[in-house]
Amino acid sequence: MISSMTGYGSASRQVSLGAGVVADLQVECRAVNSRFLDLGFRLPDECRGAEPALREAVTQQLSRGKVEFRAAWRVNAAAAGAAKANPHALGALNSDRLTALHTLQEQAQHVFPTAEALRMSDILRWPGIVSEPRGEEEGWIAATLEAGRAALAVLMESRHSEGKALSVVLGNITSKMREIVKTIEPQVPQYVAQYQEKLTARLAEALASQEQSKGGIELMERIRQEVVLYAVRIDVAEEFARLKTHLQAVDTALTGKGPVGKRLDFLMQELNREANTLSSKSVSEECTQAALELKLLIEQMREQVQNLE
Protein backbone atom coordinates (compact mmCIF):
# COMPACT_ATOMS: atom_id res chain seq x y z
CA MET A 1 0.00 0.00 0.00
CA ILE A 2 1.28 3.46 -0.90
CA SER A 3 2.09 5.56 2.16
CA SER A 4 2.63 9.19 2.92
CA MET A 5 5.76 10.18 4.82
CA THR A 6 3.80 12.29 7.31
CA GLY A 7 1.82 10.90 10.20
CA TYR A 8 1.26 10.82 13.93
CA GLY A 9 0.56 8.14 16.50
CA SER A 10 0.43 7.92 20.27
CA ALA A 11 -0.17 5.28 22.92
CA SER A 12 0.09 5.00 26.69
CA ARG A 13 0.95 2.30 29.20
CA GLN A 14 1.25 2.15 32.98
CA VAL A 15 4.40 1.46 34.98
CA SER A 16 4.48 0.37 38.60
CA LEU A 17 6.75 2.54 40.73
CA GLY A 18 6.34 0.41 43.84
CA ALA A 19 4.53 1.17 47.08
CA GLY A 20 1.22 1.09 45.21
CA VAL A 21 2.14 4.03 42.98
CA VAL A 22 1.56 3.85 39.20
CA ALA A 23 2.97 6.12 36.49
CA ASP A 24 1.18 6.88 33.23
CA LEU A 25 3.68 6.66 30.35
CA GLN A 26 2.76 8.44 27.09
CA VAL A 27 4.73 7.73 23.89
CA GLU A 28 4.27 9.82 20.72
CA CYS A 29 5.55 9.01 17.26
CA ARG A 30 5.72 11.75 14.60
CA ALA A 31 6.89 11.55 10.99
CA VAL A 32 7.55 14.23 8.37
CA ASN A 33 9.12 14.30 4.90
CA SER A 34 12.76 13.40 4.46
CA ARG A 35 14.85 12.14 1.57
CA PHE A 36 16.13 9.26 3.70
CA LEU A 37 15.09 7.52 6.92
CA ASP A 38 16.08 9.73 9.85
CA LEU A 39 15.26 8.52 13.37
CA GLY A 40 15.24 10.62 16.53
CA PHE A 41 14.42 9.74 20.16
CA ARG A 42 13.58 12.06 23.05
CA LEU A 43 13.07 9.67 25.91
CA PRO A 44 13.38 10.05 29.70
CA ASP A 45 16.30 8.24 31.28
CA GLU A 46 13.93 5.53 32.52
CA CYS A 47 12.89 4.70 28.94
CA ARG A 48 16.18 4.83 27.07
CA GLY A 49 16.73 1.11 27.34
CA ALA A 50 13.93 0.58 24.81
CA GLU A 51 15.52 2.73 22.10
CA PRO A 52 17.43 -0.04 20.21
CA ALA A 53 14.32 -2.22 19.91
CA LEU A 54 12.18 0.73 18.79
CA ARG A 55 14.80 1.70 16.23
CA GLU A 56 14.74 -1.83 14.80
CA ALA A 57 10.93 -1.83 14.67
CA VAL A 58 10.94 1.40 12.64
CA THR A 59 13.60 0.30 10.15
CA GLN A 60 11.64 -2.88 9.44
CA GLN A 61 8.54 -0.92 8.45
CA LEU A 62 9.74 2.42 7.04
CA SER A 63 12.24 3.34 4.36
CA ARG A 64 11.91 7.15 4.20
CA GLY A 65 10.88 10.00 6.47
CA LYS A 66 12.08 11.83 9.56
CA VAL A 67 10.61 9.90 12.49
CA GLU A 68 10.78 11.05 16.10
CA PHE A 69 9.73 9.28 19.28
CA ARG A 70 8.91 11.27 22.38
CA ALA A 71 7.97 9.91 25.79
CA ALA A 72 6.84 11.49 29.04
CA TRP A 73 5.37 10.18 32.27
CA ARG A 74 3.63 11.38 35.37
CA VAL A 75 2.31 9.77 38.53
CA ASN A 76 -1.24 8.52 38.15
CA ALA A 77 -3.88 10.61 39.91
CA ALA A 78 -5.02 7.51 41.78
CA ALA A 79 -1.65 7.56 43.55
CA ALA A 80 -2.99 10.31 45.79
CA GLY A 81 -4.82 7.72 47.87
CA ALA A 82 -1.65 5.68 48.21
CA ALA A 83 0.23 8.77 49.31
CA LYS A 84 -2.19 9.31 52.19
CA ALA A 85 -1.77 5.73 53.37
CA ASN A 86 1.99 5.77 52.89
CA PRO A 87 3.74 9.16 53.27
CA HIS A 88 6.75 7.88 51.30
CA ALA A 89 4.74 6.52 48.36
CA LEU A 90 5.38 9.55 46.16
CA GLY A 91 8.92 10.11 47.34
CA ALA A 92 11.04 11.04 50.33
CA LEU A 93 12.87 14.25 51.17
CA ASN A 94 16.64 14.16 51.27
CA SER A 95 17.31 16.00 54.52
CA ASP A 96 21.02 16.54 53.82
CA ARG A 97 20.37 18.18 50.43
CA LEU A 98 17.47 20.15 51.90
CA THR A 99 19.73 21.54 54.61
CA ALA A 100 22.45 22.34 52.07
CA LEU A 101 19.92 24.17 49.89
CA HIS A 102 18.73 26.20 52.88
CA THR A 103 22.32 27.18 53.68
CA LEU A 104 22.93 28.21 50.06
CA GLN A 105 19.82 30.35 50.10
CA GLU A 106 20.90 32.16 53.29
CA GLN A 107 24.34 32.86 51.82
CA ALA A 108 22.85 34.14 48.58
CA GLN A 109 20.38 36.40 50.41
CA HIS A 110 23.22 37.81 52.46
CA VAL A 111 24.81 39.02 49.21
CA PHE A 112 21.49 39.88 47.55
CA PRO A 113 19.19 40.92 50.42
CA THR A 114 16.40 42.00 48.05
CA ALA A 115 16.25 38.61 46.33
CA GLU A 116 13.05 36.61 46.85
CA ALA A 117 13.15 33.38 48.81
CA LEU A 118 12.65 30.05 47.09
CA ARG A 119 9.06 28.93 46.74
CA MET A 120 7.95 25.48 47.85
CA SER A 121 7.56 24.35 44.22
CA ASP A 122 11.13 25.48 43.51
CA ILE A 123 12.43 23.57 46.51
CA LEU A 124 10.65 20.33 45.61
CA ARG A 125 11.89 20.51 42.01
CA TRP A 126 15.49 21.12 43.05
CA PRO A 127 17.68 18.20 41.89
CA GLY A 128 18.17 15.61 44.62
CA ILE A 129 15.70 17.11 47.11
CA VAL A 130 13.01 14.48 46.52
CA SER A 131 13.93 10.84 46.03
CA GLU A 132 11.08 9.62 43.82
CA PRO A 133 10.16 5.96 43.36
CA ARG A 134 11.33 4.83 39.93
CA GLY A 135 10.24 1.23 39.60
CA GLU A 136 12.17 -1.59 37.96
CA GLU A 137 14.16 -0.99 34.77
CA GLU A 138 12.55 -4.00 33.08
CA GLY A 139 9.11 -2.56 33.71
CA TRP A 140 10.04 0.76 32.11
CA ILE A 141 11.57 -0.92 29.05
CA ALA A 142 8.60 -3.25 28.56
CA ALA A 143 6.07 -0.43 28.90
CA THR A 144 8.03 1.84 26.56
CA LEU A 145 8.29 -0.88 23.92
CA GLU A 146 4.58 -1.68 24.11
CA ALA A 147 3.54 1.96 23.92
CA GLY A 148 6.13 2.74 21.22
CA ARG A 149 5.05 -0.14 18.98
CA ALA A 150 1.39 0.75 19.47
CA ALA A 151 2.13 4.39 18.57
CA LEU A 152 4.07 3.23 15.50
CA ALA A 153 1.09 1.12 14.39
CA VAL A 154 -1.19 4.16 14.63
CA LEU A 155 1.39 6.19 12.71
CA MET A 156 1.53 3.58 9.95
CA GLU A 157 -2.25 3.59 9.66
CA SER A 158 -2.33 7.37 9.32
CA ARG A 159 0.42 7.23 6.68
CA HIS A 160 -1.51 4.62 4.70
CA SER A 161 -4.71 6.69 4.87
CA GLU A 162 -2.95 9.83 3.68
CA GLY A 163 -1.13 7.87 0.97
CA LYS A 164 -4.46 6.56 -0.31
CA ALA A 165 -5.84 10.10 -0.48
CA LEU A 166 -2.73 11.33 -2.31
CA SER A 167 -3.08 8.51 -4.84
CA VAL A 168 -6.58 9.71 -5.67
CA VAL A 169 -5.34 13.28 -6.12
CA LEU A 170 -2.49 12.18 -8.38
CA GLY A 171 -4.82 9.96 -10.39
CA ASN A 172 -7.13 12.90 -11.03
CA ILE A 173 -4.20 15.00 -12.25
CA THR A 174 -2.99 12.30 -14.66
CA SER A 175 -6.55 12.06 -16.03
CA LYS A 176 -6.51 15.79 -16.77
CA MET A 177 -3.16 15.43 -18.51
CA ARG A 178 -4.49 12.62 -20.67
CA GLU A 179 -7.44 14.77 -21.70
CA ILE A 180 -5.07 17.54 -22.79
CA VAL A 181 -2.98 15.10 -24.83
CA LYS A 182 -6.09 13.51 -26.31
CA THR A 183 -7.39 16.90 -27.39
CA ILE A 184 -4.24 18.44 -28.82
CA GLU A 185 -2.41 15.45 -30.35
CA PRO A 186 -4.76 14.90 -33.35
CA GLN A 187 -4.56 18.58 -34.23
CA VAL A 188 -0.76 18.85 -34.29
CA PRO A 189 -0.29 17.61 -37.92
CA GLN A 190 -2.77 20.25 -39.05
CA TYR A 191 -0.91 22.96 -37.13
CA VAL A 192 2.39 21.84 -38.65
CA ALA A 193 0.94 21.81 -42.18
CA GLN A 194 -0.54 25.26 -41.72
CA TYR A 195 2.75 26.60 -40.44
CA GLN A 196 4.60 25.01 -43.36
CA GLU A 197 2.23 26.55 -45.89
CA LYS A 198 2.48 29.96 -44.24
CA LEU A 199 6.26 29.83 -44.19
CA THR A 200 6.43 28.68 -47.83
CA ALA A 201 4.08 31.47 -48.92
CA ARG A 202 6.16 34.12 -47.19
CA LEU A 203 9.35 32.85 -48.79
CA ALA A 204 7.70 32.66 -52.20
CA GLU A 205 6.56 36.23 -51.90
CA ALA A 206 10.06 37.35 -50.92
CA LEU A 207 11.55 35.60 -53.94
CA ALA A 208 8.83 36.51 -56.44
CA SER A 209 11.18 38.80 -58.33
CA GLN A 210 13.63 35.92 -58.94
CA GLU A 211 11.26 33.12 -59.94
CA GLN A 212 11.80 33.65 -63.68
CA SER A 213 15.51 32.89 -63.47
CA LYS A 214 17.03 29.44 -63.17
CA GLY A 215 18.93 30.47 -60.08
CA GLY A 216 15.74 31.71 -58.47
CA ILE A 217 13.94 28.43 -59.20
CA GLU A 218 16.79 26.37 -57.70
CA LEU A 219 16.83 28.59 -54.66
CA MET A 220 13.08 28.20 -54.26
CA GLU A 221 13.39 24.41 -54.41
CA ARG A 222 16.10 24.47 -51.78
CA ILE A 223 13.90 26.61 -49.54
CA ARG A 224 11.05 24.15 -49.93
CA GLN A 225 13.40 21.35 -48.85
CA GLU A 226 14.45 23.35 -45.81
CA VAL A 227 10.81 23.90 -44.91
CA VAL A 228 10.17 20.16 -45.08
CA LEU A 229 13.19 19.45 -42.87
CA TYR A 230 12.02 22.08 -40.40
CA ALA A 231 8.61 20.42 -40.30
CA VAL A 232 10.34 17.18 -39.37
CA ARG A 233 12.26 18.89 -36.58
CA ILE A 234 9.09 20.34 -35.07
CA ASP A 235 7.22 17.04 -35.21
CA VAL A 236 6.14 16.15 -31.64
CA ALA A 237 4.76 12.66 -32.18
CA GLU A 238 7.57 11.11 -30.14
CA GLU A 239 7.00 13.54 -27.28
CA PHE A 240 3.32 12.64 -27.12
CA ALA A 241 4.17 8.93 -27.19
CA ARG A 242 6.64 9.33 -24.30
CA LEU A 243 4.14 11.46 -22.36
CA LYS A 244 1.55 8.70 -22.57
CA THR A 245 4.13 6.08 -21.60
CA HIS A 246 5.21 8.07 -18.53
CA LEU A 247 1.60 8.66 -17.50
CA GLN A 248 0.98 4.92 -17.71
CA ALA A 249 4.06 4.36 -15.52
CA VAL A 250 2.66 6.79 -12.97
CA ASP A 251 -0.65 4.91 -12.86
CA THR A 252 1.19 1.62 -12.46
CA ALA A 253 3.18 3.00 -9.54
CA LEU A 254 0.07 4.39 -7.85
CA THR A 255 -1.68 1.03 -8.00
CA GLY A 256 1.36 -0.88 -6.79
CA LYS A 257 2.73 -1.56 -3.33
CA GLY A 258 5.69 -0.41 -1.30
CA PRO A 259 7.72 2.82 -1.47
CA VAL A 260 7.20 4.63 -4.78
CA GLY A 261 8.14 8.21 -3.91
CA LYS A 262 11.58 8.20 -5.55
CA ARG A 263 10.27 6.47 -8.67
CA LEU A 264 7.44 8.97 -9.04
CA ASP A 265 9.83 11.85 -8.49
CA PHE A 266 11.93 10.56 -11.40
CA LEU A 267 8.81 10.25 -13.58
CA MET A 268 7.92 13.86 -12.77
CA GLN A 269 11.29 14.91 -14.18
CA GLU A 270 10.67 12.92 -17.36
CA LEU A 271 7.17 14.33 -17.79
CA ASN A 272 8.47 17.85 -17.32
CA ARG A 273 11.19 17.25 -19.92
CA GLU A 274 8.62 16.18 -22.51
CA ALA A 275 6.37 19.15 -21.70
CA ASN A 276 9.33 21.51 -22.15
CA THR A 277 10.09 19.95 -25.53
CA LEU A 278 6.49 20.35 -26.61
CA SER A 279 6.66 23.99 -25.67
CA SER A 280 9.92 24.59 -27.55
CA LYS A 281 8.61 22.87 -30.71
CA SER A 282 5.23 24.57 -30.61
CA VAL A 283 4.03 26.11 -33.88
CA SER A 284 0.65 27.33 -32.64
CA GLU A 285 -0.88 29.13 -29.72
CA GLU A 286 -2.96 26.04 -28.92
CA CYS A 287 0.14 23.85 -28.61
CA THR A 288 1.88 26.40 -26.42
CA GLN A 289 -1.13 26.68 -24.13
CA ALA A 290 -1.41 22.89 -23.88
CA ALA A 291 2.28 22.59 -22.96
CA LEU A 292 1.90 25.25 -20.27
CA GLU A 293 -1.13 23.48 -18.79
CA LEU A 294 0.79 20.20 -18.75
CA LYS A 295 3.72 21.84 -16.95
CA LEU A 296 1.37 23.32 -14.36
CA LEU A 297 -0.23 19.94 -13.70
CA ILE A 298 3.18 18.27 -13.49
CA GLU A 299 4.28 20.82 -10.89
CA GLN A 300 1.14 20.09 -8.88
CA MET A 301 1.98 16.40 -9.02
CA ARG A 302 5.58 17.02 -8.03
CA GLU A 303 4.46 18.83 -4.87
CA GLN A 304 2.24 15.89 -3.88
CA VAL A 305 4.84 13.27 -4.76
CA GLN A 306 7.25 14.83 -2.26
CA ASN A 307 4.92 13.57 0.50
CA LEU A 308 5.01 9.93 -0.62
CA GLU A 309 7.34 7.35 0.89
Side-chain angles (χ1 to χ4, degrees):
M1 184 181 299
I2 292 180
S3 298
S4 167
M5 281 192 287
T6 61
Y8 172 82
S10 66
S12 61
R13 293 293 186 274
Q14 290 188 332
V15 182
S16 174
L17 302 182
V21 181
V22 175
D24 292 325
L25 174 65
Q26 180 80 19
V27 177
E28 295 181 340
C29 183
R30 304 173 184 268
V32 294
N33 298 353
S34 178
R35 187 176 179 183
F36 305 103
L37 182 59
D38 182 11
L39 302 182
F41 294 86
R42 295 187 179 183
L43 307 177
D45 292 338
E46 298 85 356
C47 305
R48 291 198 177 278
E51 181 176 327
L54 286 177
R55 185 179 294 273
E56 181 180 359
V58 175
T59 55
Q60 289 177 352
Q61 300 187 58
L62 302 178
S63 59
R64 294 179 67 192
K66 183 176 181 180
V67 184
E68 183 179 71
F69 280 88
R70 293 186 180 185
W73 65 272
R74 62 181 180 180
V75 176
N76 191 286
K84 293 180 180 179
N86 181 3
H88 299 291
L90 297 181
L93 290 175
N94 187 320
S95 57
D96 292 337
R97 285 186 175 270
L98 191 61
T99 301
L101 180 61
H102 183 263
T103 302
L104 287 174
Q105 179 178 247
E106 289 182 336
Q107 293 175 352
Q109 286 183 323
H110 180 72
V111 179
F112 302 99
T114 59
E116 295 183 1
L118 289 172
R119 295 175 296 179
M120 182 60 65
S121 59
D122 298 328
I123 296 173
L124 293 178
R125 284 200 301 264
W126 197 271
I129 294 297
V130 179
S131 300
E132 299 178 345
R134 293 293 181 180
E136 297 295 330
E137 181 181 3
E138 293 78 7
W140 281 107
I141 294 177
T144 305
L145 280 176
E146 290 182 10
R149 286 168 176 163
L152 180 60
V154 176
L155 168 72
M156 293 298 297
E157 184 62 30
S158 68
R159 283 166 62 109
H160 291 327
S161 297
E162 186 173 343
K164 184 177 180 180
L166 287 175
S167 296
V168 174
V169 172
L170 293 173
N172 292 336
I173 295 177
T174 56
S175 296
K176 293 179 181 179
M177 294 179 65
R178 281 194 176 87
E179 287 298 321
I180 294 174
V181 173
K182 184 179 179 181
T183 300
I184 200 68
E185 184 179 15
Q187 303 178 31
V188 170
Q190 178 183 351
Y191 295 146
V192 173
Q194 292 174 352
Y195 185 79
Q196 183 178 0
E197 292 176 1
K198 184 184 298 185
L199 184 59
T200 302
R202 289 179 179 176
L203 291 172
E205 182 179 351
L207 297 171
S209 60
Q210 302 181 21
E211 283 189 353
Q212 301 301 322
S213 65
K214 182 178 179 181
I217 295 175
E218 291 178 352
L219 181 60
M220 189 65 184
E221 183 60 28
R222 179 57 185 272
I223 290 174
R224 287 196 181 98
Q225 293 176 3
E226 291 294 334
V227 169
V228 172
L229 291 175
Y230 183 73
V232 172
R233 287 198 297 270
I234 63 175
D235 183 25
V236 291
E238 292 185 7
E239 283 72 17
F240 279 118
R242 285 194 289 266
L243 267 174
K244 290 184 283 188
T245 300
H246 295 330
L247 287 174
Q248 182 58 47
V250 171
D251 288 343
T252 301
L254 292 176
T255 56
K257 296 181 179 180
V260 296
K262 291 184 178 180
R263 181 182 178 187
L264 286 173
D265 188 55
F266 171 75
L267 288 172
M268 294 305 104
Q269 298 177 31
E270 295 301 306
L271 285 169
N272 193 62
R273 181 179 292 110
E274 302 305 330
N276 284 331
T277 305
L278 283 175
S279 180
S280 64
K281 288 186 175 183
S282 176
V283 293
S284 69
E285 183 179 350
E286 291 81 1
C287 286
T288 302
Q289 185 62 34
L292 292 176
E293 291 179 4
L294 287 173
K295 292 175 67 174
L296 177 61
L297 291 172
I298 293 168
E299 185 60 30
Q300 292 177 4
M301 291 183 68
R302 190 197 299 273
E303 293 177 359
Q304 300 297 336
V305 164
Q306 301 304 315
N307 296 322
L308 290 177
E309 182 180 6

